[in-house]
Each structure stands twice: as structure tokens, then as C-alpha cells.
Amino acid sequence: MAPVGGKRAKKGILERLHSGEVVIGDGSFLFTLEKRGYVKAGLWTPEATVEHPEAVRQLHTEYLRAGSNVMQTFTFFAGKDNLESKWKEVNEAACDLAREVAEKGDALVAGGISQTSLYKSHGSEPEIKENFQLQLEVFTRKNVDFLIAEYFEYCEEAVWAVEVLKGSGKPVAATMCIGPEGDMNNLTPGECAVRLVKAGASIVGVNCRFGPEISLATVKLMKEGLEASGLKAYLMVQSLGFHTPDCGKGGFVDLPQYPFGLEPRVATRWDIQKYAREAYKLGVRYIGGCCGFEPYHIRAIAEELAPERGFLPDASEKHGSWGSGLNMHTKPWVRARARREYWESLPLASGRPYCPSMSKPDAWGVTKGTAELMQQKEATTDQQLKELFEKQKFKSSVA
Ligand SMILES: [Zn+2]
């Protein structure tokens, strides 16, 4: 037992999930820090851990305050393949920053690795695994609490990542950046989940590339695949903070607005409350976000699931569920907005004349359904397009 007044040992990730707790992940780092001037779009590498540690620390702090239980090391694309001689100090600094902030609250530190640039250029399995191994050595030395292999579009590479991470003996989560159509080798989400669990992942799911609805539809397919194989794992979702109903197989990177014109697609906090509730209903207990997912979106997850978790996050002091803070507004018509029904049924407006609701992805990977839909776009009104889209929407989407 911890001495009186001493620090209580934190429950580990699997202990939390096993006891039925909801674990709230964090949100966007690259996209958010790019907007703040600390990350270069294109390569999307996290040198900011060394160059501007105060910016990374501040963002971790905002997620902690918003209710995150996991401080993921800012180590996306931070393998030797991308960062060359800088890889080590960037990973070490990322671990120290995540730990420093995690110690200020009820959060764990997760060491994160992601897809390599080697896989697509036909790098060998040993070469790719060596790249992961180097990052893992830093995570082990810095004693992170668990590990996440994320943003894999090829199941094979994700399996290699899990195999390496398992070697540490720490719990491993694995998320792929795929939609309902599966990975880039045409493996279904269900099959991907099965392979990741067989490789040793205790938590599986998706992150990035697709918005809340599609991400949940994909996790549902993973869940069904696991059930059909008689395998058990915890489910995880870290969706984009953008709506992407018109994406093809490759996700938001193929949209013409990627990455600098995505603002009209940003999810509201109310959209994210819905996402959190639907994820919970689906049985997902690790719920967070990826690109475009800001601290206030994480707070929305924590507020939606406050009845289940039994508490609100610190950042809710300045919010109040469902806009209740507006009670204090001087204008009566604004005061009238301090209620759930108002925000839940509000029709949104972009404020941009002739702003279409959908666009056509630039790249290959457009789904058959979406392609047909887009061909008809010229001849149809927005309303008809919407109806067509609704009809063709992923059948597996969460009700
Ligand atoms: Zn992302």
C-alpha cells in the first residue's frame, strides 16, 4: 500500500478496461501544432518535442484538463526512417513531456509508433522491425505505461509493429487508419482485427483518416470479425475531428481540401458527444481522437460519458454541460440556447455562399458507391445528392 499522503499507484490500461472503465484518449497533435506554427505540413514529423517543448507540453496539458487518461508520446512518424540522426532525441523528449504532464493527473503514458516510409518502398520485414525496435528501446528505457501502434494502412506492417512491441511485455494497442473497405491489400476490417489480436494486441481499432461515423462503422466490422473468430480484445476508436462522408477508401488525404481547407468539416462538440455515446453503445471503451480533434472535443467525450464515469473533467468548470453557461448571457434569445434540445437539433450553416456539402476525392480509392454518386452530382440538387448519399451510406453504420 502507498504511504499516507504518498502518491497512489495508477491503474494500468488493461486493469482499467477490464474493470469496465471508459478510457479517454487524447486528440490531434500534428494538425493542431501545425496551425499553431510548430509543425511542418507535408512530412508531419514531431521535431517540436525538442525545438518547442513548451508548445507540446501545453497541448498535453489541455488534453489532460479536458479529461484524457492517456498522454500519447508525440512520436508520430518519428522513426529513424523519417528523422534520421534526430530520431533519438525527439523520442526521448516526447516521453519526458508526456510523463511530466501525465503525473499531474490520472493519465498514463503511451509510447506510439506509426507506419514507416519503408513499407511502401518495399523495405524488408527485418529492416522495418528494426525501425520499430529503436523507438521501442527508448520507450522501454523511459518506462512508458503501454504502447500504441497506430496509423497503419497495411495490416501486414501493423502486425510486424505489434510483434515488436509485444517483446517489451507491456500492453499493446493497435489501430489502423482504414475505413469499412479494409486495408490497402483488401483485407477486411474484421480480418485485420483478427490478425492484430493473434499477433498480441490487447486493444484494437481505428484512428485517423475518417470522420466519427465511418470510424465507428469500421470498428463495428472489427468487432464482428473478432466475435466470429471467437477472439476477445478491447475496442478503441480515435476518429478525425472532421466529417468525411464523401471520402473514398484512402480517407481524408484524398479530399481536395486536405490538409489546409478542412475547416468547414470540423465536428462540433455536440457531434462529438454523439460519437462518444455511439462508441460507448457499440462497446468501445477507449475513445479519443486524431487529426482535427481539439481539446474541446475531448472534453465533449468526457461530458457525454460523465454519468458512466462519475465525474466531469477540470475543463468543464468553464463550460457546463449542454451550454448551461449561457444562462448568464445578457441577451434573452442567447439565454434560451442554454439547453440540450437546442444544440442537438440545430441546423448548421457554413456561412460560405454556394459551399457544397460534398466533394469528389482526387485520388484512386473512390468507392464504387461514392463514385456513382459523384457522377450524378452535376445533374442533381444538393437535396437529391444528400438523399442518394443516405441511401448508399455504409449499411454497417451504427444506428
Ligand atoms: Zn490523424
Side-chain angles (χ1 to χ4, degrees):
M1 220 166 101
V4 178
K7 233 191 312 184
R8 237 165 25 114
K10 283 181 196 169
K11 279 163 81 179
I13 186 71
L14 295 181
E15 237 182 306
R16 290 173 194 231
L17 292 168
H18 186 66
S19 66
E21 265 180 48
V22 177
V23 171
I24 299 183
D26 59 8
S28 157
F29 269 77
L30 287 170
F31 263 55
T32 300
L33 292 177
E34 190 279 332
K35 289 194 180 80
R36 295 181 185 183
Y38 302 107
V39 162
K40 198 168 195 175
L43 276 181
W44 299 112
T45 45
E47 291 90 335
T49 61
V50 174
E51 294 168 358
H52 297 283
E54 72 290 352
V56 178
R57 184 184 294 114
Q58 174 63 23
L59 189 52
H60 277 305
T61 303
E62 288 174 31
Y63 285 122
L64 184 74
R65 194 173 143 70
S68 293
N69 300 120
V70 181
M71 297 292 112
Q72 223 176 302
T73 58
F74 184 33
T75 47
F76 188 86
F77 281 174
K80 199 176 174 186
D81 58 326
N82 287 322
L83 288 179
E84 295 170 355
S85 62
K86 283 180 287 185
W87 76 269
K88 201 172 181 183
E89 54 167 343
V90 168
N91 279 272
E92 286 172 345
C95 291
D96 293 342
L97 288 163
R99 178 62 71 194
E100 181 191 326
V101 180
E103 289 310 306
K104 293 179 181 158
D106 185 30
L108 300 171
V109 174
I113 61 170
S114 46
Q115 63 170 258
T116 64
S117 56
L118 305 166
Y119 188 86
K120 275 178 243 176
S121 55
H122 307 289
S124 68
E125 180 180 340
E127 191 185 352
I128 290 168
K129 282 186 164 175
E130 163 72 12
N131 209 66
F132 296 144
Q133 186 64 41
L134 288 173
Q135 279 183 279
L136 178 61
E137 279 164 22
V138 175
F139 298 150
T140 306
R141 192 152 29 84
K142 295 287 183 182
N143 199 23
V144 301
D145 299 304
F146 69 103
L147 299 154
I148 301 177
E150 68 170 7
Y151 198 74
F152 285 90
E153 53 189 350
Y154 291 92
C155 186
E156 184 177 45
E157 191 185 20
V159 164
W160 293 346
V162 171
E163 285 169 356
V164 170
L165 296 182
K166 271 313 278 182
S168 68
K170 292 181 190 288
V172 176
T175 57
M176 298 194 58
C177 54
I178 60 171
E181 289 178 80
D183 90 338
M184 294 300 156
N185 282 328
N186 298 315
L187 288 178
T188 63
E191 181 58 26
C192 292
V194 166
R195 292 186 190 197
L196 293 170
V197 172
K198 284 185 175 165
S202 308
I203 306 163
V204 292
V206 297
N207 78 293
C208 208
R209 291 283 179 95
F210 297 88
E213 284 191 356
I214 300 178
S215 294
L216 287 176
T218 312
V219 173
K220 184 167 186 269
L221 293 171
M222 288 183 151
K223 181 185 177 182
E224 289 164 1
L226 291 172
E227 282 168 357
S229 303
L231 291 170
K232 281 207 181 345
Y234 297 107
L235 299 172
M236 170 166 174
V237 66
Q238 305 222 75
S239 143
L240 292 178
F242 306 112
H243 292 291
T244 64
D246 42 351
C247 269
K249 186 174 177 175
F252 82 141
V253 289
D254 297 342
L255 290 172
Q257 299 88 27
Y258 172 89
F260 301 134
L262 291 164
E263 283 83 350
R265 294 172 175 270
V266 172
T268 64
R269 61 196 72 193
W270 319 116
D271 293 336
I272 296 306
Q273 287 204 211
K274 192 162 170 249
Y275 157 76
R277 180 54 56 195
E278 288 181 354
Y280 187 83
K281 281 197 273 183
L282 184 61
V284 183
R285 291 293 180 272
Y286 188 140
I287 307 168
C290 202
C291 305
F293 218 101
E294 298 288 329
Y296 76 100
H297 291 123
I298 292 294
R299 180 178 65 188
I301 298 175
E303 290 189 351
E304 177 64 30
L305 296 174
E308 284 76 12
R309 303 175 82 223
F311 58 93
L312 283 164
D314 291 347
S316 292
E317 272 175 52
K318 298 288 183 189
H319 190 227
S321 297
W322 295 104
S324 61
L326 296 178
N327 269 327
M328 309 291 284
H329 202 277
T330 52
K331 312 275 187 211
W333 55 91
V334 179
R335 280 203 297 278
R337 296 175 194 157
R339 58 199 168 92
R340 176 175 186 156
E341 308 74 51
Y342 179 85
W343 295 108
E344 258 185 341
S345 57
L346 177 72
L348 297 176
S350 74
R352 296 163 192 270
Y354 315 112
C355 176
S357 57
M358 308 273 185
S359 58
K360 187 177 165 183
D362 276 339
W364 65 278
V366 178
T367 63
K368 191 164 168 283
T370 314
E372 280 165 10
L373 184 64
M374 292 305 155
Q375 274 163 15
Q376 295 173 58
K377 189 174 172 177
E378 255 61 48
T380 56
T381 64
D382 251 17
Q383 183 54 34
Q384 284 169 317
L385 186 68
K386 195 178 160 213
E387 283 164 16
L388 273 168
F389 175 75
E390 288 300 325
K391 257 190 253 169
Q392 299 189 14
K393 213 156 125 179
F394 297 107
K395 291 191 190 76
S396 53
S397 147
V398 180

